[in-house]
Amino acid sequence: MSVRPPDRAGPSRPAPPLVPFTARVPGSKSITNRALLLAAAAVGTTRLRAPLVSDDTLAFRTALTDLGIRVDAAPHDAYWDVTGGGGGPTGPGRVWCADAGTAARFLPPFAAAGTGSFLFDGSAQLRARPSRPLTDALTRLGATVRTAPGSSLPLVVDAAGLDGGRIALDGSLSSQYLSGLLMAAPLFRTPLVIDVAGLVSRPYIGMTLALMRHFGSEAAEGPDGRIEVRPGGYRAADLMVEPDASTASYLFAAAAVTGRTVTVPGLGTGSLQGDLRFVEVLRRAGARVEVTGDATTVTSTGRLRGGFDIDMGDISDTFMTLAAIAPLADAPLTIRGIGHARLKESDRIAVVARNLAACGVVTESGPDWLTVHPGRPDAALIACHRDHRIAMAFSVLGLGAPGVLTLDDPGCVGKTFPGFHAELNRLCPEYEPPAYDAGGALATSGAATPAPHRQ
């Protein structure tokens, strides 16, 4: 895929005035997968409207059916009806998590609340991601857990229900371990009390607790990081899934670097997603931002400002969006608090730094920070490392760069936004999407080493 260089002297001059665009952003992955689990554990049938349909959510849905949960999809996936089992699952069960970290971290505690033996496995990428905090917590609660060396997948849970209790959890690697335990806790026989230390991505825990309340379970939060959940289970509760704020970050950033206005309906002041705070980062970088009760709009001012230092630990899934457009700013940008991003689909700090270096952009980095200096990116091959967020972030850089960037795996965006390339082209016609095959899929999908496509 290719982006034709914009007809302007540099990134600080706006494009000619254009009609404002309304972006079509798919549903939140984080909400979809949490709601799938809570609906599966509930008594009754839940209707999830506008769920995200992507590699990760389909893997999660399939995993639930492998655990005996019935999920009925409406035509065109307008909604999914989930018939809950009213508790933990009954084994035996074999679950393939594919690349979905949420499946590997949310489903083992759910299984431990059931009965029988359950095997969880996933791709080589997922096997490389850490799971020790979760397996250690389940073991301390009395579950029988067996893993591959290093506490990685494949993982086996021999379940006979859990009594709860009090445990300490290290939340510095990922908030998903805590979310998985919290969502399973109402299915335990006695209360669960968790003392959390070093929690990263705190807004995702707020999302988890809000969705638990929606399905009828309460958690008490103490000022010292302690969370208590009492047994009682869940009841079915229909839910409209709001657009994905992490995904919207790329389209908001595209507006900021191309002189456009982009509005995302359904993402407003009542959003459950902390990543919507990315628009405040864009505001600090010079964009105009309006957040109403039911929509968010970002408008370019024709200049991207740098010269500031920002902690993005709570919204680390969007740090790559900022880092990728940072070369177009008028001064260096430093992003901090993102050490846990090294343990995602890729070592995201290192991968961003290497890709920017390939573009001729100067960066500096440390264990949990990255500084990006202004520059005019050169033509380069972008190594995606099968990481959807790397591919989408650098696609946006291509819009504001004078050279031609090349993604080595444009199809990896299917993890969370299969229609990303087409939607970016609709909003920014100068963006030329990759080729699609006769079936409507990216021509590179399924290839072990896809041929580069121009961006």
Side-chain angles (χ1 to χ4, degrees):
M1 77 201 126
S2 62
V3 171
R4 293 179 291 277
D7 185 20
R8 51 193 170 93
S12 63
R13 291 178 54 190
L18 296 171
V19 175
F21 287 95
T22 298
R24 298 182 296 218
V25 176
S28 163
K29 181 190 82 168
S30 299
I31 294 176
T32 297
N33 282 356
R34 283 167 172 77
L36 277 171
L37 175 58
L38 296 171
V43 175
T45 298
T46 293
R47 177 161 292 181
L48 301 181
R49 294 182 172 88
L52 172 63
V53 183
S54 72
D55 292 350
D56 266 16
T57 58
L58 292 175
F60 201 104
R61 190 181 79 176
T62 299
L64 286 178
T65 62
D66 290 341
L67 291 173
I69 302 300
R70 178 174 176 176
V71 183
D72 297 309
H76 309 296
D77 289 298
Y79 59 82
W80 294 345
D81 284 340
V82 184
T83 302
T90 300
R94 297 177 64 88
V95 176
W96 178 253
C97 300
D99 282 341
T102 49
R105 290 163 177 176
F106 293 173
L107 293 177
F110 176 54
T115 57
S117 182
F118 302 91
L119 170 67
F120 297 89
D121 203 357
S123 66
Q125 183 190 65
L126 191 57
R127 285 185 174 192
R129 297 176 68 175
S131 62
R132 184 180 295 277
L134 178 62
T135 57
D136 285 353
L138 289 174
T139 300
R140 291 197 299 272
L141 289 170
T144 301
V145 181
R146 291 170 282 136
T147 68
S151 292
S152 63
L153 297 184
L155 178 155
V156 176
V157 177
D158 294 317
L162 289 177
D163 283 332
R166 183 169 181 174
I167 60 170
L169 181 73
D170 178 3
S172 64
L173 297 181
S174 173
S175 65
Q176 290 178 357
Y177 309 125
L178 177 57
S179 283
L181 290 167
L182 290 173
M183 288 189 288
L187 310 180
F188 295 175
R189 290 182 286 261
T190 59
L192 174 67
V193 178
I194 307 178
D195 295 302
V196 187
L199 182 62
V200 296
S201 302
R202 179 62 178 79
Y204 283 99
I205 301 305
M207 176 195 296
T208 296
L209 296 174
L211 289 169
M212 289 171 62
R213 287 192 295 272
H214 182 79
F215 283 87
S217 179
E218 291 285 342
E221 294 185 83
D224 54 358
R226 181 179 305 164
I227 304 176
E228 179 176 353
V229 185
R230 295 188 173 276
Y234 296 105
R235 60 177 181 270
D238 293 354
L239 181 72
M240 173 67 75
V241 178
E242 63 187 62
D244 193 297
S246 309
T247 294
S249 74
Y250 310 109
L251 305 181
F252 288 141
V257 303
T258 63
R260 289 176 167 86
T261 293
V262 167
T263 296
V264 176
L267 270 183
T269 52
S271 173
L272 296 178
Q273 300 172 81
D275 279 4
L276 184 56
R277 287 163 47 191
F278 177 74
V279 298
E280 298 305 319
V281 180
L282 288 179
R283 189 199 301 273
R284 190 169 177 183
R288 289 199 301 272
V289 174
E290 180 183 9
V291 183
T292 67
D294 58 4
T296 297
T297 300
V298 171
T299 300
S300 170
T301 58
R303 178 182 179 185
L304 200 64
R305 291 200 301 261
F308 59 88
D309 187 308
I310 187 165
D311 189 323
M312 297 184 72
D314 280 348
I315 56 171
S316 63
D317 276 351
T318 63
F319 101 79
M320 290 152 291
T321 317
L322 179 63
I325 64 173
L328 309 178
D330 59 8
L333 281 168
T334 296
I335 305 168
R336 299 190 185 278
I338 53 174
H340 54 288
R342 293 187 180 276
L343 302 172
K344 298 283 190 173
E345 284 85 341
S346 66
D347 178 340
R348 286 175 167 168
I349 297 176
V351 169
V352 168
R354 286 197 296 266
N355 280 324
L356 288 174
C359 297
V361 174
V362 175
T363 67
E364 303 162 65
S365 63
D368 70 344
W369 60 273
L370 175 70
T371 297
V372 182
H373 292 266
R376 291 177 63 84
D378 300 324
L381 174 67
I382 302 302
C384 296
H385 293 265
R386 294 184 59 223
D387 190 332
H388 55 133
R389 300 205 185 283
I390 297 296
M392 290 188 276
F394 278 88
S395 294
V396 179
L397 173 60
L399 289 167
V404 175
L405 304 185
T406 305
L407 299 181
D408 69 355
D409 184 10
C412 68
V413 300
K415 184 175 175 70
T416 49
F417 192 179
F420 169 77
H421 299 294
E423 181 64 4
L424 190 58
N425 169 252
R426 188 182 71 83
L427 298 176
C428 303
E430 67 270 28
Y431 180 85
E432 190 173 316
Y436 287 78
D437 63 23
L442 278 169
T444 57
S445 293
T449 309
H453 283 258
R454 301 186 70 190
Q455 166 186 310

